[in-house]
Amino acid sequence: MAKSRPWLFLLVLCCMALCTMALGGPAGAISAADRALAAADRDNWRLHGRTYDNQRFSPLTGINRDTVGKLTLLHTLHTGVANSFEDTPLEVDGVLYIVTATNHVQAWDAVSGRQIWAWQPDRLDLTEACCGPQARGVALAYGKVYTALFDGHLVALDAKTGSWCGRPIPPKPIPNPSIITPTPWRRRSMTAW
């Protein structure tokens, strides 16, 4: 029986991390300029956590202790899905992007409340879902809306039309998928499994 060599595992892990950074992988993929642009954009909520470091803090000052009592309901969005809503909506240039439970992706006019487009998967495989049919969010990048399906597959839709931008979804689910929000990375979209 071979001896356990924990130092060898750590050495291999460190080498992989260094190679990933040298090749421009995840650790070096998002530049300081990218982070600064997302953080400085006060008019849009482009990322799941608003900024690449997921601060989830809005720099807007129009709602404060003095004005919060004056807020009124303007619109109620009826998604057509009767289930919990665990998504962080994204808003860019007046368009609100959401994903409902059961992976229905929708785009709404944030001012009028009018639905712009809607997409839903042809089939829904919940066999690997740990926590019910909830979805955590969408990602926006390169003119596309990305979402992770319950079966572990990643979907790309045209942000303007909601039309499918990919290969057919394989019929077999990915074992033990994680239904988290995809994160834009270079000209791809990456999500953790």
Side-chain angles (χ1 to χ4, degrees):
M1 185 176 211
K3 267 175 132 175
S4 175
R5 296 182 184 150
W7 59 269
L8 183 59
F9 174 74
L10 290 174
L11 179 64
V12 169
L13 200 60
C14 288
C15 288
M16 287 172 52
L18 288 172
C19 288
T20 300
M21 286 188 284
L23 294 172
I30 300 167
S31 70
D34 290 336
R35 285 189 291 275
L37 288 174
D41 187 354
R42 297 173 59 99
D43 296 326
N44 296 294
W45 196 282
R46 294 181 180 276
L47 301 167
H48 179 71
R50 198 185 80 74
T51 58
Y52 277 109
D53 57 350
N54 281 309
Q55 290 299 305
R56 297 176 188 241
F57 173 78
S58 174
L60 301 177
T61 58
I63 300 173
N64 55 45
R65 290 182 190 160
D66 299 328
T67 61
V68 71
K70 299 174 186 172
L71 292 176
T72 60
L73 179 65
L74 292 179
H75 303 287
T76 301
L77 302 179
H78 295 280
T79 64
V81 177
N83 207 310
S84 62
F85 188 78
E86 298 182 13
D87 156 54
T88 298
L90 301 185
E91 187 277 332
V92 176
D93 299 330
V95 179
L96 189 68
Y97 299 91
I98 64 169
V99 61
T100 69
T102 65
N103 290 130
H104 292 213
V105 182
Q106 301 172 352
W108 298 81
D109 184 305
V111 176
S112 71
R114 177 185 61 86
Q115 189 176 66
I116 299 170
W117 56 259
W119 177 88
Q120 65 186 50
D122 293 334
R123 66 182 183 283
L124 190 62
D125 188 341
L126 295 173
T127 57
E128 296 290 332
C130 71
C131 313
Q134 282 67 38
R136 303 296 188 256
V138 297
L140 296 170
Y142 319 113
K144 294 183 177 67
V145 179
Y146 297 91
T147 194
L149 300 180
F150 299 116
D151 63 6
H153 294 97
L154 188 64
V155 171
L157 307 170
D158 184 278
K160 290 185 180 186
T161 65
S163 61
W164 176 264
C165 296
R167 293 180 228 133
I169 301 171
K172 187 174 180 183
I174 295 172
N176 303 312
S178 175
I179 45 175
I180 65 168
T181 303
T183 301
W185 177 64
R186 290 194 176 176
R187 297 297 293 177
R188 300 177 181 97
S189 183
M190 181 177 73
T191 189
W193 298 106

